[in-house]
Amino acid sequence: MDKQLLLAKLKGGLIVSCQALEDEPLHSSYIMSRLAAAAQEGGAVGIRANGYEDISAIKKSVNLPVIGIVKRDYDDSKVFITATLKEVEEVVKSGAEIIALDATDQLRPNGQRLDEFYVEVRQVFPDVVLMADISTFEEGVKASKLGFDLVATTLSGYTDYTKDHVLPNTDLIKSLAEAIDTPVMAEGGYWKPEELERAMAYGAHACIVGSAITRPREITKRFVASLNK
């Protein structure tokens, strides 16, 4: 799909993140594909998914664009979202239209810096659509200058140096939308429709929601916690 057409298809819409880690009850490519189908029926314009198996199953179940990642831990780095070229290759092979990767200032496996990794990816896959998962304003500006096609606030609150950020960080959306021409995606800690409305009013290109829709264990915990106050 043409990049501009792809971005236009996502604009103003909701992207649903369908992910379940190995320790979660819904961990299953089949279940993720059904969650994606339900999201499509509910009006989602795109899906975010983790891993070759899940993405492949989802691509067979829906006709929506997929933002693909591979989460994998490395002993020498805190970066785990599409951390190396190996993970990029897996996402490309899965058929995802967009590849998201950690674009924070943290060193990648083998001490690789983001700018080095970006050049490496572009050399191997010059035409892929890349989304930068960032945690700060400075990281978002840097990702835009490097040439990422999308910048997402995914990791605000999830890096060691942003743990004090209140989520969802709609102020980060506003500051980035005013500073860069690259489309900014609202992601991270969105639980209420009014929070999405605020993000869009602040200039978000689209919104990505995961836990509030597709993680019943986490949703249940929130309700239980409210009863136990």
Short mmCIF file of all heavy atoms in Angstrom, two decimals, residues 134-141 151-157 162 165-180 184-187 190 199 202:
data_model
loop_
_atom_site.label_atom_id
_atom_site.label_comp_id
_atom_site.label_asym_id
_atom_site.label_seq_id
_atom_site.Cartn_x
_atom_site.Cartn_y
_atom_site.Cartn_z
N ILE A 134 8.61 6.26 21.22
CA ILE A 134 9.48 7.16 21.99
C ILE A 134 8.90 7.41 23.38
O ILE A 134 7.74 7.08 23.66
CB ILE A 134 9.73 8.48 21.25
CG1 ILE A 134 8.40 9.22 20.93
CG2 ILE A 134 10.47 8.22 19.93
CD1 ILE A 134 7.92 10.17 21.99
N SER A 135 9.72 8.02 24.25
CA SER A 135 9.26 8.30 25.61
C SER A 135 9.36 9.77 26.01
O SER A 135 8.80 10.17 27.02
CB SER A 135 10.04 7.44 26.62
OG SER A 135 11.39 7.84 26.71
N THR A 136 10.08 10.56 25.23
CA THR A 136 10.25 11.98 25.56
C THR A 136 10.11 12.85 24.31
O THR A 136 10.21 12.36 23.18
CB THR A 136 11.64 12.26 26.17
OG1 THR A 136 12.65 12.05 25.17
CG2 THR A 136 11.91 11.36 27.38
N PHE A 137 9.94 14.13 24.54
CA PHE A 137 9.85 15.09 23.45
C PHE A 137 11.12 15.06 22.60
O PHE A 137 11.05 15.04 21.36
CB PHE A 137 9.63 16.49 24.02
CG PHE A 137 9.69 17.60 23.00
CD1 PHE A 137 8.61 17.85 22.16
CD2 PHE A 137 10.83 18.38 22.88
CE1 PHE A 137 8.66 18.87 21.21
CE2 PHE A 137 10.89 19.40 21.94
CZ PHE A 137 9.80 19.64 21.11
N GLU A 138 12.27 15.06 23.26
CA GLU A 138 13.55 15.09 22.55
C GLU A 138 13.70 13.86 21.65
O GLU A 138 14.20 13.95 20.53
CB GLU A 138 14.70 15.18 23.54
CG GLU A 138 14.80 16.49 24.30
CD GLU A 138 13.77 16.63 25.42
OE1 GLU A 138 13.16 15.61 25.81
OE2 GLU A 138 13.59 17.76 25.90
N GLU A 139 13.28 12.71 22.15
CA GLU A 139 13.36 11.48 21.35
C GLU A 139 12.43 11.56 20.13
O GLU A 139 12.78 11.08 19.05
CB GLU A 139 13.00 10.28 22.21
CG GLU A 139 14.06 9.95 23.26
CD GLU A 139 13.59 8.92 24.28
OE1 GLU A 139 12.39 8.58 24.27
OE2 GLU A 139 14.43 8.46 25.08
N GLY A 140 11.27 12.17 20.31
CA GLY A 140 10.34 12.32 19.20
C GLY A 140 10.89 13.22 18.11
O GLY A 140 10.78 12.92 16.92
N VAL A 141 11.51 14.32 18.52
CA VAL A 141 12.11 15.24 17.56
C VAL A 141 13.26 14.56 16.82
O VAL A 141 13.40 14.68 15.59
CB VAL A 141 12.60 16.51 18.28
CG1 VAL A 141 13.42 17.38 17.32
CG2 VAL A 141 11.42 17.30 18.83
N VAL A 151 5.66 8.90 14.59
CA VAL A 151 6.23 8.96 15.94
C VAL A 151 5.10 8.66 16.93
O VAL A 151 4.04 9.29 16.87
CB VAL A 151 6.84 10.35 16.23
CG1 VAL A 151 7.22 10.46 17.71
CG2 VAL A 151 8.06 10.59 15.35
N ALA A 152 5.32 7.69 17.82
CA ALA A 152 4.29 7.29 18.78
C ALA A 152 4.79 7.47 20.21
O ALA A 152 5.96 7.18 20.50
CB ALA A 152 3.88 5.83 18.55
N THR A 153 3.91 7.90 21.09
CA THR A 153 4.28 8.18 22.49
C THR A 153 4.24 6.91 23.35
O THR A 153 4.13 6.98 24.57
CB THR A 153 3.34 9.23 23.09
OG1 THR A 153 1.98 8.77 23.00
CG2 THR A 153 3.45 10.55 22.34
N THR A 154 4.36 5.77 22.74
CA THR A 154 4.21 4.46 23.36
C THR A 154 4.97 4.27 24.66
O THR A 154 4.45 3.67 25.61
CB THR A 154 4.71 3.38 22.37
OG1 THR A 154 4.18 3.64 21.07
CG2 THR A 154 4.31 1.99 22.82
N LEU A 155 6.18 4.75 24.73
CA LEU A 155 7.06 4.41 25.85
C LEU A 155 7.17 5.51 26.91
O LEU A 155 7.95 5.37 27.86
CB LEU A 155 8.46 4.05 25.33
CG LEU A 155 8.48 2.75 24.51
CD1 LEU A 155 9.84 2.52 23.87
CD2 LEU A 155 8.11 1.57 25.40
N SER A 156 6.36 6.56 26.78
CA SER A 156 6.33 7.56 27.85
C SER A 156 5.79 6.91 29.11
O SER A 156 4.71 6.33 29.12
CB SER A 156 5.43 8.74 27.44
OG SER A 156 5.30 9.65 28.51
N GLY A 157 6.56 6.98 30.18
CA GLY A 157 6.18 6.33 31.43
C GLY A 157 6.75 4.95 31.61
O GLY A 157 6.62 4.34 32.68
N THR A 162 11.38 8.17 32.58
CA THR A 162 10.05 8.79 32.43
C THR A 162 9.02 8.15 33.35
O THR A 162 7.82 8.32 33.16
CB THR A 162 9.55 8.67 30.97
OG1 THR A 162 9.40 7.28 30.62
CG2 THR A 162 10.50 9.35 30.00
N HIS A 165 6.11 10.22 34.66
CA HIS A 165 5.15 10.82 33.75
C HIS A 165 3.75 10.30 34.03
O HIS A 165 3.54 9.09 34.18
CB HIS A 165 5.51 10.51 32.29
CG HIS A 165 6.73 11.24 31.81
ND1 HIS A 165 7.15 11.20 30.50
CD2 HIS A 165 7.61 12.04 32.45
CE1 HIS A 165 8.24 11.93 30.36
NE2 HIS A 165 8.55 12.44 31.54
N VAL A 166 2.80 11.20 34.10
CA VAL A 166 1.41 10.82 34.29
C VAL A 166 0.83 10.39 32.95
O VAL A 166 0.98 11.09 31.94
CB VAL A 166 0.59 11.99 34.87
CG1 VAL A 166 -0.89 11.60 34.99
CG2 VAL A 166 1.13 12.40 36.24
N LEU A 167 0.18 9.23 32.93
CA LEU A 167 -0.38 8.70 31.70
C LEU A 167 -1.90 8.84 31.68
O LEU A 167 -2.54 8.76 32.71
CB LEU A 167 0.01 7.23 31.54
CG LEU A 167 1.51 6.93 31.46
CD1 LEU A 167 1.74 5.44 31.28
CD2 LEU A 167 2.17 7.71 30.35
N PRO A 168 -2.46 9.04 30.48
CA PRO A 168 -1.76 9.22 29.19
C PRO A 168 -1.11 10.59 29.09
O PRO A 168 -1.66 11.58 29.59
CB PRO A 168 -2.88 9.05 28.17
CG PRO A 168 -4.11 9.52 28.88
CD PRO A 168 -3.93 9.10 30.32
N ASN A 169 0.01 10.64 28.44
CA ASN A 169 0.78 11.88 28.34
C ASN A 169 0.33 12.69 27.12
O ASN A 169 1.01 12.77 26.11
CB ASN A 169 2.27 11.55 28.24
CG ASN A 169 3.15 12.77 28.46
OD1 ASN A 169 2.68 13.89 28.47
ND2 ASN A 169 4.45 12.53 28.63
N THR A 170 -0.85 13.30 27.26
CA THR A 170 -1.40 14.07 26.14
C THR A 170 -0.61 15.36 25.90
O THR A 170 -0.59 15.86 24.77
CB THR A 170 -2.88 14.41 26.38
OG1 THR A 170 -3.03 14.99 27.68
CG2 THR A 170 -3.74 13.16 26.30
N ASP A 171 0.07 15.87 26.93
CA ASP A 171 0.89 17.07 26.73
C ASP A 171 2.04 16.77 25.77
O ASP A 171 2.46 17.64 25.00
CB ASP A 171 1.44 17.57 28.07
CG ASP A 171 0.37 18.21 28.94
OD1 ASP A 171 -0.67 18.62 28.39
OD2 ASP A 171 0.58 18.30 30.16
N LEU A 172 2.55 15.54 25.82
CA LEU A 172 3.62 15.15 24.89
C LEU A 172 3.10 15.14 23.45
O LEU A 172 3.81 15.53 22.52
CB LEU A 172 4.17 13.77 25.27
CG LEU A 172 5.31 13.22 24.42
CD1 LEU A 172 6.49 14.18 24.38
CD2 LEU A 172 5.74 11.85 24.94
N ILE A 173 1.86 14.70 23.28
CA ILE A 173 1.23 14.75 21.95
C ILE A 173 1.21 16.18 21.44
O ILE A 173 1.61 16.48 20.30
CB ILE A 173 -0.21 14.21 22.01
CG1 ILE A 173 -0.24 12.72 22.35
CG2 ILE A 173 -0.95 14.48 20.70
CD1 ILE A 173 0.25 11.83 21.26
N LYS A 174 0.75 17.08 22.28
CA LYS A 174 0.61 18.49 21.89
C LYS A 174 1.95 19.10 21.52
O LYS A 174 2.08 19.75 20.47
CB LYS A 174 -0.03 19.29 23.03
CG LYS A 174 -0.42 20.71 22.68
CD LYS A 174 -1.20 21.35 23.82
CE LYS A 174 -1.80 22.69 23.41
NZ LYS A 174 -0.76 23.70 23.12
N SER A 175 2.96 18.88 22.35
CA SER A 175 4.26 19.50 22.09
C SER A 175 4.91 18.93 20.83
O SER A 175 5.50 19.67 20.04
CB SER A 175 5.19 19.31 23.29
OG SER A 175 5.39 17.95 23.59
N LEU A 176 4.75 17.64 20.60
CA LEU A 176 5.33 17.04 19.40
C LEU A 176 4.58 17.48 18.14
O LEU A 176 5.20 17.78 17.12
CB LEU A 176 5.33 15.52 19.51
CG LEU A 176 6.40 14.89 20.40
CD1 LEU A 176 6.15 13.41 20.57
CD2 LEU A 176 7.80 15.14 19.82
N ALA A 177 3.26 17.49 18.22
CA ALA A 177 2.46 17.87 17.05
C ALA A 177 2.77 19.30 16.61
O ALA A 177 2.70 19.62 15.42
CB ALA A 177 0.98 17.73 17.37
N GLU A 178 3.13 20.15 17.57
CA GLU A 178 3.47 21.54 17.26
C GLU A 178 4.89 21.69 16.74
O GLU A 178 5.21 22.65 16.05
CB GLU A 178 3.29 22.41 18.51
CG GLU A 178 1.84 22.56 18.95
CD GLU A 178 1.70 23.30 20.27
OE1 GLU A 178 2.75 23.49 20.94
OE2 GLU A 178 0.58 23.68 20.63
N ALA A 179 5.76 20.71 17.05
CA ALA A 179 7.18 20.85 16.75
C ALA A 179 7.65 20.12 15.50
O ALA A 179 8.65 20.51 14.89
CB ALA A 179 8.02 20.39 17.94
N ILE A 180 6.94 19.04 15.11
CA ILE A 180 7.42 18.23 13.99
C ILE A 180 6.31 18.04 12.95
O ILE A 180 5.13 18.15 13.27
CB ILE A 180 7.93 16.85 14.46
CG1 ILE A 180 6.80 16.02 15.09
CG2 ILE A 180 9.09 17.01 15.43
CD1 ILE A 180 7.22 14.62 15.52
N VAL A 184 2.00 12.18 14.55
CA VAL A 184 2.21 11.73 15.92
C VAL A 184 1.05 10.82 16.34
O VAL A 184 -0.12 11.18 16.22
CB VAL A 184 2.30 12.92 16.90
CG1 VAL A 184 2.51 12.42 18.33
CG2 VAL A 184 3.44 13.86 16.49
N MET A 185 1.39 9.64 16.83
CA MET A 185 0.39 8.67 17.26
C MET A 185 0.28 8.68 18.78
O MET A 185 1.29 8.62 19.49
CB MET A 185 0.80 7.27 16.80
CG MET A 185 1.12 7.17 15.31
SD MET A 185 -0.34 7.34 14.28
CE MET A 185 -0.91 5.65 14.28
N ALA A 186 -0.94 8.74 19.28
CA ALA A 186 -1.18 8.72 20.72
C ALA A 186 -1.23 7.27 21.18
O ALA A 186 -2.08 6.50 20.73
CB ALA A 186 -2.49 9.42 21.05
N GLU A 187 -0.32 6.88 22.08
CA GLU A 187 -0.32 5.53 22.61
C GLU A 187 0.29 5.54 24.00
O GLU A 187 1.23 6.26 24.28
CB GLU A 187 0.48 4.58 21.70
CG GLU A 187 0.44 3.14 22.19
CD GLU A 187 1.12 2.16 21.24
OE1 GLU A 187 1.87 2.61 20.35
OE2 GLU A 187 0.90 0.95 21.39
N TYR A 190 -4.01 4.90 27.66
CA TYR A 190 -5.35 5.42 27.32
C TYR A 190 -6.42 4.42 27.74
O TYR A 190 -6.45 3.28 27.28
CB TYR A 190 -5.44 5.72 25.82
CG TYR A 190 -4.66 6.95 25.43
CD1 TYR A 190 -3.31 6.87 25.12
CD2 TYR A 190 -5.26 8.20 25.41
CE1 TYR A 190 -2.57 8.01 24.80
CE2 TYR A 190 -4.54 9.34 25.09
CZ TYR A 190 -3.20 9.24 24.78
OH TYR A 190 -2.48 10.37 24.48
N ALA A 199 -6.45 13.81 23.07
CA ALA A 199 -5.27 13.55 22.24
C ALA A 199 -5.49 14.03 20.81
O ALA A 199 -4.61 14.64 20.20
CB ALA A 199 -4.92 12.06 22.26
N TYR A 202 -5.34 17.69 20.54
CA TYR A 202 -3.97 18.17 20.70
C TYR A 202 -3.11 17.89 19.46
O TYR A 202 -1.94 18.25 19.42
CB TYR A 202 -3.31 17.52 21.91
CG TYR A 202 -3.70 18.14 23.25
CD1 TYR A 202 -4.60 19.20 23.32
CD2 TYR A 202 -3.17 17.65 24.44
CE1 TYR A 202 -4.95 19.75 24.54
CE2 TYR A 202 -3.52 18.21 25.67
CZ TYR A 202 -4.41 19.25 25.71
OH TYR A 202 -4.75 19.80 26.92
#
